[in-house]
């Protein structure tokens, strides 16, 4: 049981990193007005991922949330902001 929980923990850390990377990639792409790259980054976040985009002053921010499958009931959350130079 301990080994199973340890493996689940490693999988969660990996999923969190991927979610954060997808949010960062999407926010930078949206800041450049590159919607194709932003869509691809959001799709790479995986099925069941909820996303929201907000514009704050000169920033564009992307927030992603997802509940991964597995024995641990957690909500993964990734947020990233980038300069909004695309208009």
């Amino acid at each position: 049981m301990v080994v199973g929980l340890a493996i689940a923990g490693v999988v969660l850390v990996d999923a969190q990193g991927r979610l954060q990377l997808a949010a960062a990639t999407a926010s930078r792409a949206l800041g450049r007005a590159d919607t194709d790259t932003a869509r691809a980054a959001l799709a790479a976040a995986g099925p069941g991922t909820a996303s929201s985009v907000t514009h704050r002053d000169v920033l564009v921010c992307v927030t992603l949330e997802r509940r991964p499958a597995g024995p641990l009931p957690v909500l993964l959350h990734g947020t990233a902001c980038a300069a909004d130079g695309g208009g």
Side-chain angles (χ1 to χ4, degrees), residues 41-76:
L42 294 174
T49 301
S51 64
S52 66
V53 177
T54 57
H55 294 268
R56 301 181 206 158
D57 296 324
V58 295
L59 295 176
V60 58
C61 298
V62 175
T63 300
L64 302 176
E65 291 184 341
R66 183 172 63 133
R67 284 196 194 283
L72 301 176
V74 297
L75 177 65
L76 300 179

Side-chain angles (χ1 to χ4, degrees), residues 9-38:
V10 169
V11 170
L12 282 177
V13 168
D14 179 61
Q16 175 65 40
R18 290 175 189 268
L19 200 63
Q20 187 64 42
L21 179 62
T25 302
S27 67
R28 286 191 309 269
L30 289 172
R32 295 188 312 266
D34 183 358
T35 56
D36 291 337
T37 300

